[in-house]
Amino acid sequence: MKTPLIVLAVLVVLGAGYLIFTNNGSSTDTPNSGAQQGKLNIDAVCDGALAYMTFPDGASAQAFVAECKEGKHPEVIEKYKADNNLGDGKQI
């Protein structure tokens, strides 16, 4: 009689663990739900753009980053938001 009870207890514990781990991504935890959650760090966004862009020299790269921080390259910000699933709710 002990063996079936032990097997049943193990199954209940495994089922409870499965439910706990699969419910961690509930709909209330979505990053775009609700109002404004914060602002983008424009320095990090513009500096991060250098990872996927090429420039003939360092001076051109520095000039691009400076222009980006001034807001002259909004496509960099849009790409960052699209890549990180941030939608339109974030501000700079």
Side-chain angles (χ1 to χ4, degrees):
M1 187 68 185
K2 285 184 179 182
T3 304
L5 289 176
I6 292 173
V7 171
L8 181 63
V10 168
L11 289 175
V12 168
V13 169
L14 289 175
Y18 174 77
L19 289 175
I20 289 170
F21 286 115
T22 57
N23 285 335
N24 281 343
S26 65
S27 62
T28 59
D29 293 338
T30 58
N32 290 330
S33 65
Q36 176 185 345
Q37 296 179 358
K39 294 185 178 184
L40 295 176
N41 182 347
I42 191 68
D43 295 333
V45 173
C46 291
D47 289 339
L50 296 176
Y52 61 85
M53 298 184 73
T54 57
F55 298 94
D57 55 24
S60 299
Q62 289 176 346
F64 175 84
V65 171
E67 290 173 357
C68 178
K69 290 178 183 180
E70 292 173 9
K72 294 181 180 176
H73 296 285
E75 69 276 4
V76 172
I77 298 164
E78 293 304 318
K79 180 177 178 3
Y80 179 84
K81 291 188 331 186
D83 290 348
N84 292 293
N85 297 324
L86 296 177
D88 295 328
K90 297 285 183 180
Q91 293 182 358
I92 299 173

